[in-house]
Amino acid sequence: MSIREKAKYWLKINHPAECAGQLRVSKYYAEKDIWFFTFPITYCESGKSGNLNILLQLEKEHDQFHYLKVPFQFFHANRNKLDVRESGDKFDLHISAKQLNWLVCERSQGVNFSKFLE
């Protein structure tokens, strides 16, 4: 079973009302103690509404996840702080799993996702 399949199953069991929403998943990268994502820049558009369900795989229990429910408006509001690629079509997040800066993106200017933890 892929990490995405595990995440969809976990979401179905733990947050069944959110299964219809957009979903992004990251495995835990132990060597850097982060979760890594690449998103399309369209997530930052001002007219985009709703939320993005982000699941972060736990370090030791690979079928368990931290769940972030992030409004697309948050990406729009923080666009100038995000690490947008030179091509302008994508941005990268390195969400920290370190205790010191828990759920803060290390590739941005301090964008913190902790308030979206469900």
Side-chain angles (χ1 to χ4, degrees):
M1 183 181 287
S2 74
I3 184 173
R4 183 166 179 81
E5 291 169 327
K6 289 178 185 179
K8 286 173 103 175
Y9 179 76
W10 184 91
L11 193 62
K12 180 180 176 182
I13 299 300
N14 294 282
H15 298 274
E18 303 302 330
C19 289
Q22 292 191 38
L23 173 67
R24 297 300 299 257
V25 180
S26 178
K27 74 175 193 171
Y28 171 73
Y29 290 88
E31 63 279 0
K32 300 244 183 202
D33 206 14
I34 63 163
W35 294 282
F36 172 78
F37 293 92
T38 298
F39 294 144
I41 200 66
T42 57
Y43 284 12
C44 296
E45 293 175 350
S46 63
K48 193 158 181 72
S49 62
N51 299 298
L52 177 63
N53 297 315
I54 298 176
L55 294 177
L56 310 169
Q57 183 184 49
L58 296 187
E59 177 182 3
K60 296 182 179 164
E61 299 175 79
H62 293 164
D63 60 346
Q64 298 297 308
F65 298 86
H66 298 291
Y67 171 48
L68 306 175
K69 185 175 179 179
V70 183
F72 284 109
Q73 179 57 34
F74 179 77
F75 294 114
H76 173 70
N78 288 283
R79 181 181 176 146
N80 64 336
K81 296 178 183 176
L82 297 173
D83 182 27
V84 178
R85 292 186 180 184
E86 194 172 310
S87 62
D89 62 338
K90 297 177 183 175
F91 64 96
D92 297 314
L93 299 179
H94 285 185
I95 298 177
S96 177
K98 300 171 188 79
Q99 188 174 17
L100 178 64
N101 58 343
W102 172 248
L103 300 180
V104 173
C105 178
E106 295 181 350
R107 298 273 308 251
S108 69
Q109 297 172 24
V111 176
N112 189 330
F113 290 87
S114 63
K115 67 183 173 186
F116 303 113
L117 187 62
E118 294 276 323

